[in-house]
Structure formats: C-alpha cells, structure tokens
Amino acid sequence: MASDETTPLLRSEATDSPSQPKATKAKTVATTVFGPANRILFAGFLMSFTLGITQVPIIYVFRLMECDIFWSHHGPFEGPGDRCHRREINAGTATQVSIVGMSTSFSGVFNLFICGYFIKLWGPRWAFVSQTALLGLRVSTQIIGVTIGGRTGEIIFQAFQAIGIIGGPRGYQLVLNTAVSELVAAKDRTAVFGRLQGSIMLGTAFGYLLGGVLGDVYNIRRPFETAFFLYIVSTVYGALFMPTGSGSEVSGQKQGGRGISAFFAPIKVIVPHRYRLESGKIIKNYGLVLLAIGIFLGVFASGYAPVLLQMYATSEFDFGTTENGYLMFGNSLIRGLFLLLMFPKIISSGRDWFNGTHVEESAKHTSESHIPISPQDFEVAEGDEVPQEPTQVPDPDEEDSGTGFDLFFVRWSLVIDSLVTFFAAFSSNGWQVYLAGFLLPFASGSAPAAKGVMTEMCAPHQRPDAISAITLVESTATLLTQGLFGLVFAAFSEIDRPSLTFFVNAGFAVLGFTVLFLARFPPENSKRIDEHESESVTEADTHPSSNAETIQESSEGEAEEGE
C-alpha cells in the first residue's frame, strides 16, 4: 500500500487488524486462553479437586473405625438397624475428626512460613511442585491407615498429617495467590483473587462428589488411591506449565528470601503503621490489625460450617458418603460459581457505586489515554507552536482507589453468614440441611476481598508477605475452630443437642463483623512512613522546635522529586 502524509508512522493494532492473518488471531486467542493467569486458575482447580476427593471419605472412614473400636469393647452387635448409629460413636467420631482437623491446621500454620520461604528461594513454580509432591506422600500414608483400620489406623491418619508442615493445602494456595498478585494489575487483583478462590471451590465441589461416589460404588480405599494418582499429575503439571516471573523478579525474590527476617516477614506485616498527613501530623493506623482480627473471627465462625453440616446430617438424618457428597458438592459448586461469575461483577459495580460516577469517569479517562500515533491525533497548540509528543507512558499497574468497597463487602458477608448459620440450627429435615448448604456460599467472598484490602494497605514490595499474613490468619483460625468446635459438637452430642453448635458459630460471626466495622483505611493523601524513617520521626516528635523544619524539608524533598 502506498504511503502518504496521513499514513501513521507507528502502526497500531487497530490499523493492522483488517489484514491480520487468521493464524495470528488464533495465536492471540490461544495465548489468552492458555495465558499465565488461566494456567494458575487451572492449577487451583486441579489441586482442590484432588484434595476434595478424600474429604468426605475421611469422615466416613473415622466413623467406621470408631464403630469397630466401640463394638470391640462392648461385645458383638445384635439387633436390627445400623450398628454404627449410636451417640457414643457419633461423639467419638467428632472428637477424632477434630483431632485430624487440628493436626492439619496446625501443620498448615507452619507450612505457610516454610512455603513462603520456598517461594522466595525457588519462585512459584518449584514451590508449587514441592507442595504437590509432599501431599502425594501424605495421601499414601492415609491409604495405609484405611487398610489397617481401628485405633492404629486413626493414629496413622493423625500422626502423618505432620507432613503438611513442609507441603500442604495452605502452601499451594499461598503459591497460587502470590503468583496471581505478581501477574495481575492492581485494579483487577481483588476480582482475580475471587476467581482463583472460585476455581478452588469448583474443584472441591467435583472432588466431594467423586469421592463420595467412589467410596460407595467401589470401596473406601479407592478415593485415596485416586487422589494419589492425581497428585502425581499435579506435580508434573506444575513442573511444566506453572508460569514464572521475570528474571528480575525471581532474582529479587531470591535475594529477599535469605535470612531469618525473611522467614518471619509475614508476621511483621500485621502491625500498626505510621502515616504523615498533608498537614504534617503523624498518626498511627490500626486498619491492618483490626482487619486481621475481624477475618480471624470470621473464619473461626464459618470455617467449621462444612464439617458441621456433614456431622450434623450424619448423626441426625443418617447421611452417608453419597448424601454428604451431594451436600458438599452443591455447597462448593454454588460457592465456586458465585466467586467466578458474580463476585467480580459485584466488586466492579460496588466500587462504582461506592465511589460515585465522577471517580468512574476520571478513571475511565485515565485508562483510555493513549500515545498519539498519527498527525490527526495531535491537538493544535496555541500560538502555532509545534505540538510535542508525550514523554511519559501511563502506568498500566496504577493502584485502584475503589478498595473501600472491598472492606464494606467483607463486613456484610459476615452479617449474612451469621444469619444463615443461625437459621440452620432449626433444621428438622434433611432437605433443610441441603438448603443451608446452598445458601451459605452467597456469604462467601470475604476471604478474596480481604486479600485485596490487605494488599492495598501494604506497600507494593510487601504484597507476597501480606498474602502470607492473611493466609496465616485464616489458617490459625481454622486450627482453632477445628479443635474447639469439634469438642463443642461432641459435648452437645452427648446431651443429644448438636444443633446448639450453630448458635455458637453465629455468635462468633457477629463478633467478627463488629470488629471489622472498626477497621479503616489510612486517610486520603497520607504518606506511609517506612521503618527506616521511624527513628527520625521519633526524634522530630521529641524535639518540637525542629518538627516544623523537618516537615518543611520533607515537603521540599517531595517537591523536588515531583519536578
């Protein structure tokens, strides 16, 4: 094609698209579908699917082992009905399952520190491979426990959960969330956290369903054998297809991952931070601390809900592995679809509503700004001066200003969760348990929204540690809720009132959103004071006469940087 004075010097995608070859378009689509973010989402689906296969059978296995233990001490069973349908067996099962849950969660807390250290040393890909391989080793010990059975089988289950200290479910989720935070723009980070959580929930849903069916159709060992095979597949997938960051990012992670201070860096994130207001006043913001406490109470209240629904349905309505599989399948499926499809739209629309239309128009104008590439794109300057091309490209990772809605969403999610949990206590039929399991997912989304709030409150270089910190809070809450509420359910089962556990759960949810209502973002236009500036700030506060001079010098320095 002949060129003239109107032909752009730089060709854009828009000008090339009419003549773009079909092969190039297909390559672009393939790059999008199989891009780094989608590969991470599929890794989350595959791992949660593998983990979900064994979750329902574990509860049923412990009920069978407790049943064998009980009748070995009380003579052979005589009479009609299910020999395992006794209050003593239900209480013993709840106790043993809570011990397994405590062991798993306790290992998960340490796993976060170790896996976070692995991420800084090796990067997300090989940290992910380490977690999948060790989880495969753990499920192989569970196969041995199922085969032996009885008290010995229970001890094998509980003891070898300690493998999760080095490689466990919390570790692989931390790897995936860290990888997402490095690949996604700040304004889309919360939505993608939700999509990742939705992928994990979908995998869990299909894992619950398959695990229950395999346990009924074949034998109780088959779900664990299937999971072992899928862990091998996950390990190979992670080694071949997990995305890695750029060379500078990986080297930076390795450099920052050395030393004891890097090992305990997540703990240092959840502390009050100082901010300098526009007036020069120094304040201390407790938003991160209150956010962590609120999320802790929220997870503490809702973390036991899936296990509680299964235990309650098993003891009161004689649910087996198939019924519990359908229950957990529906619960996780709705939660996954909610997080994948509805959650991103809620966050986007909610931020627009929360901030007002003028913020939306300003952000849209900023995002749509582009570099002129043709003579017609340049505006005519006054005085017939020659227009100049822009010298600075807009930052594509510009921090989003709408995360105030994320905190709003976290608060009200716990309100809905407390109401659904409260009314679940009045279930008198099996279908009502299914209804509660289907309604609870609509209160989900607090965890990915909390991750978005946490990363927004922290400095950019602290994002991996911030994700580790919020995951650490969730794991600690899960550790305590598995132990405490397992014992509470066992105590209420002894007096034949297991439904009272739902009221205790709802009470902690109310306490959680009460604390979250006290959490606040730092004031607008305030500047965070880093740790290395703390000493100078303290000296300035100690010597009031020089305080004004310090603020003035700081303002002049900032002005020079702006110029």
Side-chain angles (χ1 to χ4, degrees):
M1 181 182 296
S3 300
D4 55 20
E5 65 274 6
T6 63
T7 303
L9 296 177
L10 299 175
R11 286 192 171 274
S12 64
E13 293 181 1
T15 58
D16 290 341
S17 58
S19 59
Q20 187 178 17
K22 293 183 178 180
T24 305
K25 293 183 179 180
K27 184 179 180 180
T28 303
V29 173
T31 303
T32 304
V33 174
F34 300 103
N38 286 334
R39 280 183 278 154
I40 293 173
L41 296 182
F42 181 75
F45 174 85
L46 183 60
M47 281 299 298
S48 59
F49 174 70
T50 306
L51 281 167
I53 289 176
T54 60
Q55 296 307 302
V56 172
I58 280 179
I59 296 178
Y60 189 70
V61 161
F62 271 89
R63 190 166 186 260
L64 292 179
M65 290 191 289
E66 277 295 311
C67 186
D68 293 337
I69 295 170
F70 176 83
W71 288 113
S72 65
H73 293 86
H74 295 80
F77 172 75
E78 296 178 359
D82 183 9
R83 74 187 190 108
C84 297
H85 189 65
R86 294 181 63 94
R87 288 186 305 171
E88 299 89 345
I89 295 175
N90 291 334
T93 302
T95 302
Q96 297 302 322
V97 170
S98 67
I99 293 174
V100 173
M102 288 179 62
S103 176
T104 303
S105 302
F106 187 77
S107 302
V109 171
F110 290 97
N111 179 225
L112 289 174
F113 291 100
I114 294 177
C115 186
Y117 195 70
F118 287 168
I119 293 173
K120 295 177 180 179
L121 287 177
W122 304 330
R125 172 182 287 182
W126 298 112
F128 179 81
V129 169
S130 68
Q131 303 306 296
T132 56
L134 290 167
L135 280 169
L137 176 63
R138 191 180 74 175
V139 81
S140 66
T141 64
Q142 294 174 353
I143 296 174
I144 298 174
V146 173
T147 304
I148 296 176
R151 185 67 69 188
T152 305
E154 290 181 345
I155 294 174
I156 291 175
F157 258 89
Q158 295 162 352
F160 282 96
Q161 293 300 103
I163 296 176
I165 295 176
I166 305 176
R170 295 293 177 181
Y172 92 81
Q173 292 183 31
L174 173 62
V175 172
L176 298 179
N177 279 287
T178 302
V180 164
S181 68
E182 295 175 355
L183 293 170
V184 179
K187 63 181 181 179
D188 299 325
R189 193 174 293 129
T190 300
V192 179
F193 280 144
R195 290 180 59 203
L196 175 60
Q197 190 67 26
S199 301
I200 292 174
M201 285 293 102
L202 281 181
T204 303
F206 288 103
Y208 278 145
L209 182 62
L210 181 61
V213 172
L214 287 175
D216 278 348
V217 174
Y218 295 98
N219 57 70
I220 201 61
R221 280 185 50 181
R222 187 55 57 87
F224 299 92
E225 296 170 347
T226 305
F228 177 75
F229 170 75
L230 289 176
Y231 278 127
I232 297 176
V233 175
S234 301
T235 303
V236 175
Y237 174 85
L240 297 178
F241 301 108
M242 270 293 290
T244 56
S246 62
S248 59
E249 291 177 351
V250 174
S251 61
Q253 287 177 347
K254 291 182 178 181
Q255 186 67 25
R258 298 173 182 174
I260 300 298
S261 60
F263 189 84
F264 294 103
I267 299 179
K268 299 179 181 178
V269 174
I270 310 177
V271 293
H273 292 285
R274 293 185 176 187
Y275 289 84
R276 179 183 288 114
L277 304 180
E278 289 182 305
S279 61
K281 181 181 179 181
I282 305 299
I283 65 169
K284 185 173 288 188
N285 182 268
Y286 294 86
L288 286 172
V289 179
L290 293 174
L291 176 66
I293 296 175
I295 291 300
F296 175 87
L297 292 172
V299 175
F300 186 77
S302 60
Y304 192 69
V307 179
L308 176 59
L309 287 174
Q310 294 181 73
M311 298 292 294
Y312 182 71
T314 301
S315 62
E316 295 296 315
F317 308 116
D318 297 327
F319 276 29
T321 55
T322 300
E323 291 82 3
N324 277 331
Y326 287 136
L327 174 64
M328 290 296 99
F329 170 75
N331 178 275
S332 300
L333 178 64
I334 294 176
R335 181 172 298 181
L337 293 176
F338 172 79
L339 292 172
L340 273 173
L341 304 177
M342 297 178 63
F343 178 77
K345 295 181 179 179
I346 291 174
I347 293 296
S348 177
S349 302
R351 287 180 175 181
D352 295 340
W353 163 77
F354 196 81
N355 296 307
T357 55
H358 65 281
V359 176
E360 177 185 2
E361 292 174 357
S362 175
K364 182 178 180 181
H365 175 74
T366 302
S367 63
E368 290 181 352
S369 61
H370 61 280
I371 302 176
I373 58 175
S374 64
Q376 292 86 349
D377 292 337
F378 290 100
E379 297 181 357
V380 178
E382 295 181 1
D384 294 332
E385 294 180 358
V386 178
Q388 300 295 323
E389 294 187 14
T391 58
Q392 185 175 1
V393 180
D395 185 7
D397 194 33
E398 183 180 359
E399 296 294 334
D400 188 63
S401 60
T403 47
F405 176 77
D406 299 2
L407 183 57
F408 175 86
F409 182 85
V410 173
R411 294 166 178 165
W412 287 99
S413 293
L414 289 183
V415 174
I416 299 174
D417 183 87
S418 63
L419 292 175
V420 176
T421 306
F422 177 81
F423 288 109
F426 299 99
S427 301
S428 58
N429 293 288
W431 68 268
Q432 295 172 345
V433 176
Y434 280 111
L435 180 62
F438 294 161
L439 291 178
L440 278 173
F442 291 100
S444 60
S446 58
K451 289 183 176 71
V453 174
M454 180 72 79
T455 54
E456 182 69 16
M457 286 186 176
C458 294
H461 68 277
Q462 290 182 318
R463 285 172 189 161
D465 293 328
I467 296 173
S468 300
I470 198 67
T471 311
L472 176 63
V473 170
E474 294 173 359
S475 301
T476 306
T478 304
L479 165 65
L480 294 179
T481 193
Q482 292 284 355
L484 178 61
F485 281 110
L487 298 178
V488 169
F489 183 85
F492 285 143
S493 296
E494 290 285 353
I495 62 175
D496 203 20
R497 296 293 301 276
S499 61
L500 295 178
T501 313
F502 289 100
F503 294 114
V504 181
N505 268 327
F508 277 101
V510 171
L511 183 61
F513 73 72
T514 302
V515 173
L516 285 173
F517 271 102
L518 301 176
R520 293 289 185 274
F521 275 97
E524 293 184 2
N525 300 322
S526 60
K527 181 179 180 182
R528 178 173 166 178
I529 301 175
D530 295 330
E531 294 180 0
H532 66 273
E533 299 180 15
S534 299
E535 296 182 0
S536 60
V537 171
T538 304
E539 292 177 359
D541 294 337
T542 306
H543 301 83
S545 59
S546 61
N547 194 23
E549 297 178 1
T550 304
I551 296 173
Q552 182 178 358
E553 291 176 1
S554 177
S555 302
E556 293 175 355
E558 292 174 2
E560 290 176 2
E561 291 179 1
E563 295 174 358

